[in-house]
């Protein structure tokens, strides 16, 4: 009877250990790091990349949203509000500024909007304290490439270390998953 009890306890302990390893979605160098994936997305491209990263590295995911949503109409957003905000350097009010204080590595995602991070991402970077944090930028663009967006982010997120960005055209293609994996391996 005693033997049976010991055997059951051992099996339980082993299984608890298994669950721990399985529940920890982070791998390699991310193991002991707290990760946040924060992103803004108007049309869904950046959202899909954010979700791919989240599936690979785990951690928490946070969607950055403006207090006043952008119109659904492309021209109204792109050539109306967003262009004006770009020209005036606006940092729009957010629905929720988020909180990066409990995290070591923050993946920050944005679509390229008028050669820059989207205004909402500028607000997110300015309104949070990034002192001592590592930022991994990722962005999606419509053909213009990476511009100086990582540098723009570094200026806004004072005291942070900004790694080189993951840059994706549109919503990516069949190669994107591989690129993401390679990039994540480099970071680790
Ligand atoms: C307001 C606005 C400005 C844009 N400016 C640029 C730009 O300067 N360079 C570029 O390559 N693409 C530009 N684009 C295209 C977007 O960066 C691209 O479609 C991106 O993948 C959209 O991401 P989302 O679907 O997550 O919103 C712009 C799109 C919008 C709506």
């Amino acid at each position: 009877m005693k033997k049976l009890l010991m055997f059951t306890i051992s099996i339980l302990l082993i299984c608890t250990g298994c669950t721990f390893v399985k529940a920890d979605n982070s791998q390699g160098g991310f193991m002991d790091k707290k990760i946040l994936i924060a992103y803004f997305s108007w049309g869904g491209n950046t959202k899909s990349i954010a979700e791919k990263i989240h599936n690979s590295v785990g951690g928490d995911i946070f969607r950055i949203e403006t207090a006043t949503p952008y119109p659904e109409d492309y021209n109204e957003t792109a050539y109306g509000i967003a262009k004006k905000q770009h020209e005036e350097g606006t940092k729009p009010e957010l629905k929720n500024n988020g909180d990066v204080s409990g995290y070591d590595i923050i993946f920050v995602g944005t679509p390229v909007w008028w050669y820059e991070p989207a205004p909402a991402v500028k607000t997110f970077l300015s309104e949070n304290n990034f002192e001592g944090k590592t930022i991994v930028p990722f962005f999606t663009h419509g053909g213009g490439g990476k511009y100086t967006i990582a540098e723009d982010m570094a200026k806004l997120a004072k005291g942070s270390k900004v790694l080189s960005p993951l840059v994706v055209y549109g919503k990516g293609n069949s190669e994107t998953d591989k690129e993401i994996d390679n990039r994540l391996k480099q970071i680790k």
Side-chain angles (χ1 to χ4, degrees):
M1 185 64 190
K2 201 175 162 196
K3 267 192 186 158
L4 181 68
L5 188 67
M6 291 302 286
F7 176 75
T8 314
I9 290 173
S10 312
I11 293 293
L12 275 175
L13 283 174
I14 290 166
C15 287
T16 315
C18 296
T19 316
F20 267 129
V21 174
K22 224 174 156 198
D24 189 343
N25 200 14
S26 52
Q27 307 141 6
F30 288 145
M31 194 68 98
D32 55 344
K33 303 285 183 209
K34 292 259 186 235
I35 296 174
L36 176 69
I37 296 132
Y39 71 96
F40 170 82
S41 183
W42 179 76
N45 292 349
T46 317
K47 178 174 188 273
S48 80
I49 303 301
E51 286 166 353
K52 282 180 198 288
I53 295 173
H54 188 219
N55 282 341
S56 294
V57 304
D60 295 325
I61 187 158
F62 171 68
R63 184 169 191 162
I64 302 166
E65 291 175 281
T66 47
T68 308
Y70 288 96
E72 281 181 20
D73 181 78
Y74 183 86
N75 286 336
E76 255 185 81
T77 292
Y79 297 102
I81 298 175
K83 189 156 191 275
K84 189 163 185 282
Q85 289 182 335
H86 158 68
E87 286 163 357
E88 294 175 355
T90 308
K91 295 193 187 86
E93 191 189 327
L94 300 184
K95 214 163 153 182
N96 174 352
N97 280 342
D99 180 5
V100 303
S101 60
Y103 299 94
D104 307 300
I105 301 178
I106 301 111
F107 288 78
V108 180
T110 183
V112 174
W113 271 18
W114 297 109
Y115 337 112
E116 290 185 328
V121 175
K122 292 189 195 172
T123 312
F124 174 75
L125 293 171
S126 319
E127 292 294 321
N128 277 284
N129 181 2
F130 281 90
E131 196 74 42
K133 312 278 181 200
T134 298
I135 292 181
V136 186
F138 62 99
F139 29 90
T140 69
H141 63 90
K146 61 181 183 167
Y147 302 95
T148 56
I149 291 185
E151 289 81 354
D152 298 340
M153 285 188 176
K155 279 184 206 148
L156 291 160
K158 298 205 171 19
S160 66
K161 180 182 171 197
V162 178
L163 304 187
S164 67
L166 172 72
V167 185
V168 176
Y169 171 58
K171 63 176 185 324
N173 55 29
S174 52
E175 289 297 298
T176 308
D177 288 0
K178 247 186 265 162
E179 277 169 38
I180 294 175
D181 282 349
N182 287 340
R183 186 72 195 89
L184 296 178
K185 273 187 207 135
Q186 286 165 12
I187 297 161
K188 286 182 210 167

